[in-house]
């Protein structure tokens, strides 16, 4: 998928649907700068991430597009792109009944499309769960079957992806701890190693301090930690790095 079309989909799709179908939606842009990135043309990178998330009558969605710029004088490529579109169809919303047990509050059909430059296109499908855990604003757990759909991509297998958020009020502001991890715990191909990618962010709601409480959750600053064992399925390549970030919600 061409990156300009994915960017258009991120911001235009929610507005194209009838108001009564959309329960809530959000769009944001994040600027990140960090170094010590492995398997990249430069160890220093500047990234702009465009995101949208929301819930509608039959489920929810999350999508992002990364525009990655390599900060080096002798790099083979100046930039690259990567993005994902995820949606979940909720059994509870579709049936109109409570679907859950214990801390599990809903079950969903979870699907994700991964795309970028190079042999990275994959389609993931499986079971999604919403789980109520004390102190978490939300906690989702998706278990996927991975299917590579581009030539040269050998990442077929099984993956677990939790996503979470925690909020900590501080005076008139807030500290947000959120993120995800992707764990490919079973790989079909010998040339692709099982891998673990943990990518949390710790952010302070600076907008609430500067612009007032009516602008909460608008402008946040902080750090992102990125740990990736066997990055891209390459055995022995373990990325461990931080980035400074600034995020604005529209």
């Amino acid at each position: 998928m061409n990156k300009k079309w994915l960017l258009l989909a991120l911001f235009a799709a929610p507005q194209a649907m009838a108001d009564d179908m959309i329960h809530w939606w959000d769009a944001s842009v994040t600027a990140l700068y960090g170094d010590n990135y492995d398997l990249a043309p430069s160890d220093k990178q500047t990234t702009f991430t465009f995101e949208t998330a929301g819930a509608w009558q039959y489920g929810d969605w999350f999508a992002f597009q990364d525009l990655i710029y390599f900060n080096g004088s002798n790099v083979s490529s100046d930039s690259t792109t990567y993005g994902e579109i995820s949606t979940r169809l909720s059994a509870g919303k579709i049936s109109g009944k409570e679907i859950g047990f214990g801390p599990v509050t809903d079950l969903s059909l979870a699907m994700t499309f991964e795309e970028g430059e190079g042999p990275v296109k994959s389609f993931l499908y499986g079971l999604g769960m919403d789980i109520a855990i004390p102190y978490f604003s939300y906690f989702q757990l998706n278990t996927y079957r991975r299917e590579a759909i581009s030539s040269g991509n050998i990442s077929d297998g099984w993956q677990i992806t939790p996503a979470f958020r925690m909020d900590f009020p501080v005076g008139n502001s807030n500290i947000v701890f959120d993120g995800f991890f992707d764990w490919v715990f079973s790989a079909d191909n010998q040339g692709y190693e099982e891998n673990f990618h943990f990518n949390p962010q710790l952010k302070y709601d600076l907008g609430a301090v500067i612009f007032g409480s009516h602008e909460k959750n608008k402008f946040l600053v902080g750090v992102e930690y990125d740990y990736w064992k066997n990055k891209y399925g390459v055995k022995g390549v373990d990325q461990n790095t931080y980035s400074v970030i600034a995020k604005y919600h529209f």
Side-chain angles (χ1 to χ4, degrees), residues 201-212:
Q201 296 180 348
L202 185 66
K203 295 166 289 195
Y204 178 67
D205 190 343
L206 186 60
V209 176
I210 298 176
F211 305 115

Side-chain angles (χ1 to χ4, degrees), residues 32-47 68-80 231-232 237 239 241-243:
L32 308 91
Y33 176 80
D35 57 13
N36 294 323
Y37 287 91
D38 293 319
L39 298 181
S42 173
D43 69 336
K44 294 182 175 63
Q45 294 182 10
T46 300
T47 302
I68 304 167
Y69 297 91
F70 303 115
N71 307 123
S73 58
N74 297 305
V75 296
S76 58
S77 175
D78 293 333
S79 64
T80 190
K231 183 178 182 180
Y232 299 147
V237 177
Q239 179 170 284
T241 185
Y242 292 86
S243 296

Side-chain angles (χ1 to χ4, degrees), residues 119-137:
V120 299
K121 291 184 177 65
S122 295
F123 180 65
L124 289 68
Y125 56 91
L127 176 67
M129 293 189 291
D130 292 333
I131 305 175
I133 301 177
Y135 306 110
F136 282 81
S137 301

